[in-house]
Amino acid sequence: MLRDTFDEAAELYDRARPRYPAALVDELDRRVGLGPGVRVLEIGPGTGQLTVPLARRGCDVTAVELGPALAAVARRNLRDFPRARVEVAEFERWPLPRAPFDLVVSATAFHWIDPAVRVVKAAEALGPDGVLAVVTTHHVAGGSRNFFARVQECYERWDPATPPGLRASDEADVATDTGELERWGRVTSYRFAREITYSTREYLDVLLTYSGHRALDAPARRGLLRCVAELIETRHGGSVTKRYLHELLLTRRESDAGAGR
């Protein structure tokens, strides 16, 4: 499965993947209330990009990670936070503890969980007035626009699944489908955009953490990366800027919603 590919490059994933904006964590704190005694269940923490900020706020965090290598790096990153622990398991099969959680959160990982399970099980994990928080990440138009237009030629040459003329969407046109969350409760959305500048090596490292790139056969992946690197070096001065849009989607458990205990 594609979601298994991340574990093959845990150290690279930890080094290359950007952390979440501080403003997003601050907003989550304002809306939910993070701190000592708050029980948090995180689904798919990766190497702890959001887990560490939650633990730093004093929360009691249980993070359920599918990949053992990712989990090992996450534990290392959380070594200064004894109230945070990482369990290696498929969330779909992980037995929920008896004590309910105040917050269930999943950052750029919820889409990998079985749709028939994810919202229902999150509801089962939460106590009264508990909150489900889903963070999504979108690659949107902005930053080095000319580069992202030109680089499509590399993708069309080396990745046959690339639609011709593909372009990133404008930020205003991007929104996560919240239908499944709305069936459980009212959804509120908060958006955080930012741009990150990468050197050629840094950008290639980021690409190597994406499941679609990792799934390419080795010759195609090498050809694609060579093509991308040459474009950055020869046409863009050795660096490119990428624009990201993060959405924080919050759904508060209602007394008559979800599957209570």
Side-chain angles (χ1 to χ4, degrees):
M1 294 176 62
L2 279 178
R3 71 177 186 176
D4 297 327
T5 63
F6 302 114
D7 203 55
E8 301 167 357
E11 294 289 351
L12 180 63
Y13 189 98
D14 186 57
R15 183 174 73 248
R17 281 290 181 106
R19 276 46 181 170
Y20 291 95
L24 186 153
V25 181
D26 290 342
E27 191 66 45
L28 182 60
D29 194 356
R30 278 192 291 270
R31 301 298 170 180
V32 176
L34 304 175
V38 175
R39 285 175 49 80
V40 178
L41 170 62
E42 185 179 6
I43 303 168
T47 58
Q49 280 76 5
L50 185 60
T51 326
V52 171
L54 293 173
R56 192 173 286 129
R57 301 278 173 131
C59 298
D60 297 342
V61 183
T62 299
V64 180
E65 172 53 52
L66 174 67
L70 291 167
V73 178
R75 288 182 182 127
R76 186 183 70 207
N77 291 335
L78 292 162
R79 61 186 175 272
D80 294 331
F81 305 101
R83 303 197 68 83
R85 63 192 183 100
V86 181
E87 297 205 7
V88 179
E90 283 187 285
F91 175 70
E92 294 90 335
R93 299 184 181 184
W94 181 67
L96 293 174
R98 293 183 61 85
F101 292 91
D102 304 298
L103 170 67
V104 175
V105 63
S106 186
T108 320
F110 206 57
H111 60 288
W112 291 112
I113 307 301
D114 184 346
V117 174
R118 55 196 179 201
V119 174
V120 172
K121 193 164 184 177
E124 292 175 348
L126 288 167
D129 298 319
V131 173
L132 171 60
V134 175
V135 179
T136 64
T137 299
H138 305 276
H139 307 285
V140 294
S144 303
R145 288 178 179 266
N146 289 339
F147 165 76
F148 288 104
R150 291 169 178 152
V151 80
Q152 287 308 121
E153 295 181 9
C154 296
Y155 282 91
E156 290 176 20
R157 176 181 177 187
W158 293 104
D159 182 359
T162 302
L166 182 67
R167 296 291 183 271
S169 299
D170 289 332
E171 190 177 314
D173 298 328
V174 172
T176 301
D177 182 356
T178 59
E180 67 175 324
L181 298 177
E182 290 168 356
R183 290 193 293 271
W184 184 62
R186 186 173 63 87
V187 178
T188 52
S189 173
Y190 308 90
R191 295 159 70 92
F192 305 87
R194 62 171 170 170
E195 294 186 347
I196 298 177
T197 298
Y198 297 101
S199 68
T200 303
R201 181 68 261 170
E202 289 168 340
Y203 189 66
L204 296 184
D205 283 348
V206 171
L207 294 183
L208 283 170
T209 69
Y210 295 155
S211 60
H213 292 68
R214 299 196 63 80
L216 290 172
D217 63 55
R221 186 167 57 247
R222 287 194 297 268
L224 173 61
L225 295 179
R226 280 197 304 268
C227 186
V228 172
E230 182 179 357
L231 180 59
I232 297 173
E233 290 294 316
T234 61
R235 302 290 296 274
H236 295 276
S239 67
V240 291
T241 299
K242 189 171 183 65
R243 187 170 181 84
Y244 298 90
L245 173 66
H246 304 283
E247 288 183 287
L248 171 62
L249 306 171
L250 299 181
T251 312
R252 186 173 295 276
R253 178 173 187 160
E254 299 170 355
S255 58
D256 59 346
R261 296 177 186 230

